[in-house]
Amino acid sequence: MATDIQVKIRRVIARNPATGETLREFECASAAEVTAAVERARAAQPAWAELGVWARVDILRRFQRLLHQNKDEVACIITRENGKPQVEALLTEVLVVLDAARFLIENAHAILKPEPVPHGNLVMKTKSARLLREPYGVIGIISPWNYPFSTPATEGLAALVAGNAVVMKPSEFTPLAALEVGRLLHEAGVPHDIFQVVVGDGLTGAALTEASIDKIVFTGSVRTGKRVAETAATKLLPVLLELGGKDPMLVLDDVELEAVTSAALWGAFMNAGQTCLSVERCYVHRSLYEKFLAAVVEKTGKLRLGNGMDPETDVGPMIHEQQLRVVEAQVADAIARGARLLYGGRRLPELGPTFYAPTVLADVTHGMLIMREETFGPVLPVMPFATDDEALRLANDSEFGLAASVWTSHRRRGEALARRIQAGTVMVNDVISCYGISEAPHGGVKLSGLGRAHGRLGLEEMVRVKYVDSDLLPRIRKVWWYGYGEKFARQMDGFLDLLFSRNWTRRISGGLRSLRAYFRSGRL
Ligand code: NAD
């Protein structure tokens, strides 16, 4: 029977943000297609888990080799789709993934193998116990556009090596980079149903969260992360949430300005400021404030903006018009409330549709949007402080808690402050680099998320822990298996004294009492 119900087809378009050119157009995967992908993944996953860690590590090794051989092509895909300079695509995406593969190749077996659990409790000494780390089954991964290759790849590799199947939904703005992750994985030997990419928009992402998956790994904005968490809560679906940041940089009064100002510049403008870990709030000790600003403005003036395919380019375009408008509104709000615009603060239409000049703002305050909301654009807002305690108070005065940096010539002073900063990561004398350290867990506190990606903790997110123990004396009846009575109560009383009394005489007498009651109970 003919039906007149129209199914509206939604589309996503991968565009080159430097030129506006359409790279490829896709139909969004429908909810039915997402469900079918998850079902295929579920059917294929047991065989993948059966393969064992070493076989999966071999496949990762092949993936790593292929990625290395194809590094320039991959960087080119990332740059054309996301806009970042090609050297940044190599440094912050390809290198990060090669090293994440290295970490898993070297460590996955040791982390995932059964772990003995020694028992401290005397009564349980007859048991041999293990923690088993078992794959969840099917993991859904949803990614943003700012690290379109390294985010799905690092999370995907960890999920796969642990024995899971993956259905991943890339950002609607950068599907090509995620499809490249899939192409390389398949060529390396990962079965097609074990790593699938479903291209689409937010509704496709919502369909994946609602599908019959076993865990959702979400990287993106706080707003979407909360929605994903709400859906997950109704099913008690485990979630890993890697969300936004408003990372502070604290420049103490004992630094050398040359290195610190270069770090501030790169930390704020790298990837056109569209990095969850970018320097978003810069606090400088009052004694260095004007000198810091002068140096930063001078260095900003030397940055070369343009198409990321040009090797001379330092800063590329922003991803899209909507993002640019948010940044413009934040900068306008800051200026209206008394911030000094020292550099930039305007679009550069002569370069392309979404170029925005690297912008330096001074005298900002926490009453301005630029110091409260995440700024996904090339803006460095700077504010003075007088004491370390004030800097700390300002750093912690945020809903976010992804990462932070402290700059000082005295490591102890830096680390003492680091301990008091509310963030998932604090770097003393560096910015952003923690993302490139495969051993370092990546994740936030407060609104910046839940759980950790990368490193040992990131791999542990991809498994369920099961505790298994075997009793080594199966023929012996346990004393607590009924037959309660006064003798048993005396035995327990003495036993607790033996184990936990702080008085040695009571311990010994408790032990003797317990033994006597045991022998008299006839439970042997
Ligand atoms: P976003 O939240 O708009 O989108 C992220 C992904 O979620 C996209 O794939 C999108 O299609 C999907 N999505 C949208 N609506 C959905 C829904 N209802 N259900 C499920 N999925 C849905 O974020 P964005 O603009 O793509 O990325 C920028 C954000 O990502 C920033 O806030 C940035 O800080 C954050 N980020 C965080 C990290 C981290 O590791 N903490 C890393 C990179 C980016």
Side-chain angles (χ1 to χ4, degrees), residues 12 141-148 151 155 168-174 198 200-210 216 218-229 231 241-246 274-278 280 319-320 323 374-376 400 402 435 442-444 447-449 453-454:
V12 297
I141 297 181
I142 299 179
S143 303
W145 45 263
N146 60 338
Y147 288 86
T151 304
E155 292 166 352
M168 90 126 318
K169 209 297 282 176
S171 165
E172 48 274 53
F173 300 103
T174 52
V198 287
D201 54 12
L203 289 178
T204 307
L208 180 56
T209 315
E210 279 155 20
I216 186 86
F218 174 83
T219 309
S221 63
V222 172
R223 199 177 50 166
T224 315
K226 282 183 178 175
R227 276 202 207 149
V228 167
T231 308
L241 297 175
E242 294 286 350
L243 308 180
K246 190 73 197 165
Q274 303 166 119
T275 298
C276 54
L277 295 166
S278 62
E280 297 242 333
I319 190 78
H320 52 62
Q323 194 66 40
E374 187 175 38
T375 305
F376 244 42
F400 295 94
L402 192 57
Y435 186 72
H442 174 62
L447 285 188
S448 292
H454 297 190

Side-chain angles (χ1 to χ4, degrees), residues 385-465:
F385 68 85
T387 64
D388 287 8
D389 278 347
E390 186 191 359
L392 183 75
R393 186 182 55 72
L394 290 166
N396 287 340
D397 179 25
S398 172
E399 291 183 307
F400 295 94
L402 192 57
S405 67
V406 181
W407 293 79
T408 172
S409 300
H410 296 92
R411 183 175 149 193
R412 274 203 176 169
R413 187 178 173 198
E415 290 186 1
L417 270 181
R419 275 191 283 277
R420 297 166 67 198
I421 292 179
Q422 296 158 358
T425 300
V426 183
M427 290 158 278
V428 177
N429 296 331
D430 206 353
V431 288
I432 302 179
S433 61
C434 56
Y435 186 72
I437 300 170
S438 301
E439 286 74 9
H442 174 62
V445 299
K446 302 200 263 188
L447 285 188
S448 292
L450 291 176
R452 294 292 180 267
H454 297 190
R456 181 173 64 78
L457 297 182
L459 184 53
E460 299 229 7
E461 292 275 356
M462 304 301 176
V463 288
R464 291 191 176 108
V465 173

